[in-house]
């Protein structure tokens, strides 16, 4: 059942590798993006695993939702990791100087993503898992777009 957590590490590395290759250094910005991507993958994939838990079970794969018929453990993990990614999304402000455009948008997106996982915890269902999955699919690219927008707006002001 730790496969998702372990698999999230190599899943979060490509942007770090790209950042380091382009910048020539490994800095706090790369760490912030790594942590965000690492944590984002967990509620994202738990939603997928809930939707396809019967398929995973038939295949003999030990995913958290396969061993969690009520959804209580799955929802606890989804909400916990989602809350962690929302907190981690502040790292670009603290470590890399991202500004208020990014921070405001990150908090709004994070609140919506967290609300979707809380909805799943209220009533674990395929529909609620699909909502959390859709929220995760919107959250990450919009969060990264906010980082770019914030950087662009800051460079215009400077």
């Amino acid at each position: 059942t730790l496969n998702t957590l372990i698999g999230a590490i190599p899943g979060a590395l490509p942007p770090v590798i790209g950042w380091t290759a382009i910048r020539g250094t490994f800095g706090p910005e790369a760490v912030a993006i790594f942590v965000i991507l690492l944590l984002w993958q967990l509620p994202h994939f738990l939603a997928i695993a809930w939707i396809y838990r019967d398929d995973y079970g038939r295949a003999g794969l030990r995913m958290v939702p396969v061993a969690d018929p009520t959804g209580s453990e799955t929802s606890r993990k989804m909400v916990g990791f989602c809350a962690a990614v929302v907190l981690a999304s502040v790292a670009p402000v603290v470590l890399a100087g991202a500004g208020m455009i990014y921070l405001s948008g990150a908090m709004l997106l994070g609140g919506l993503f967290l609300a979707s996982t809380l909805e799943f915890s209220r009533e674990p269902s395929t529909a609620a898992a699909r909502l959390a999955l859709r929220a995760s699919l919107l959250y990450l690219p919009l969060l990264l777009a906010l980082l770019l927008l914030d950087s662009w707006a800051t460079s215009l002001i400077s």
Side-chain angles (χ1 to χ4, degrees), residues 8-39 41 144:
I9 295 168
L13 282 174
V16 174
I17 294 166
W19 179 277
T20 305
I22 290 170
R23 293 288 189 130
T25 62
F26 176 78
E29 301 91 345
V31 172
I33 290 172
F34 173 80
V35 172
I36 289 167
L37 287 170
L38 176 86
L39 294 170
Q41 290 177 79
L144 296 175

Side-chain angles (χ1 to χ4, degrees), residues 3-72:
N3 60 358
T4 305
L5 182 58
I6 293 166
I9 295 168
L13 282 174
V16 174
I17 294 166
W19 179 277
T20 305
I22 290 170
R23 293 288 189 130
T25 62
F26 176 78
E29 301 91 345
V31 172
I33 290 172
F34 173 80
V35 172
I36 289 167
L37 287 170
L38 176 86
L39 294 170
W40 168 83
Q41 290 177 79
L42 299 163
H44 169 79
F45 192 75
L46 285 168
I48 294 169
W50 180 266
I51 294 165
Y52 296 106
R53 67 189 179 285
D54 293 337
D55 295 335
Y56 284 119
R58 282 192 298 276
L61 299 172
R62 293 197 48 188
M63 307 303 294
V64 170
V66 171
D68 182 26
T70 66
S72 62

Side-chain angles (χ1 to χ4, degrees), residues 128-153:
R130 284 189 198 285
L131 176 67
L133 176 60
R134 286 184 186 110
S136 76
L137 290 170
L138 290 172
Y139 175 81
L140 188 61
L142 291 175
L143 185 77
L144 296 175
L146 279 169
L147 216 70
L148 289 172
L149 176 65
D150 187 85
S151 175
W152 176 73

